[in-house]
Amino acid sequence: MAASIVDVIIPRVCTVCHTSLVEGEDVMCLDCLMNLPRTDLHTKHPNELTDRLFSLKAPIERGTSLYHYVAGTPYVQLIHDAKYNRRPCVGRKLAEMHAGEIKETGFFDGIDVIIPIPLHFTKLWKRGYNQSEEIARGISNATGIPVGDNLVAVRRHSTQTRKNATERRLISIGSFKVIHREDLD
């Protein structure tokens, strides 16, 4: 009953099309969810995501993404809300949904811990939450894989929004430190 009262005062709307959400809908209405430009990357290896991440010179075993990010489409709002518009629930809910859909495919087999990329404390303070941690928590909710806190951001870096993959890699060098390494063995 309390949720219904809150919905009257502050109606829940679809992040994509802004129509009112009905009971059972969360973040997106059913119509937008059905039209989400899904990737199905979890079924392909290698795939376009692992190929892009390979340029980071890190061992990438698998990668997935719920949907294709296409500039100019209303689905861009999902990422903007999760990252910039103080709606951490968007990233968490989408991650939980995607992980729940693919967990039976074996995608998460052999993964012992999820370690989100940390934010520098000044950026965390400004934003109020770490979107990477919210995504990790959503995956954990669906899979039961624990979320670790074994990385810390040791230096602040400029925004990566308008940088290419090489620039992002260079800017992140030396930004993070592993802590509690013994927990990862």
Side-chain angles (χ1 to χ4, degrees), residues 14 16-17 19 21 25 28-37 75:
C14 175
V16 179
C17 72
T19 61
L21 295 175
E25 294 177 336
M28 269 187 291
C29 67
L30 185 58
D31 189 48
C32 288
L33 181 61
M34 296 302 293
N35 291 306
L36 187 70
Y75 291 98

Side-chain angles (χ1 to χ4, degrees), residues 39-92:
T39 66
D40 293 324
L41 290 178
H42 66 281
T43 64
K44 306 169 190 131
H45 185 75
N47 60 47
E48 62 193 75
L49 182 59
T50 58
D51 291 347
R52 285 184 66 191
L53 293 173
F54 182 77
S55 71
L56 299 177
K57 299 197 177 16
I60 305 298
E61 291 186 23
R62 57 198 113 152
T64 187
S65 173
L66 173 60
Y67 72 99
H68 293 282
Y69 181 93
V70 180
T73 67
Y75 291 98
V76 169
Q77 194 61 44
L78 292 166
I79 301 298
H80 286 248
D81 276 8
K83 190 168 182 181
Y84 304 113
N85 294 338
R86 300 197 178 273
R87 294 199 57 214
C89 66
V90 173
R92 189 175 54 250

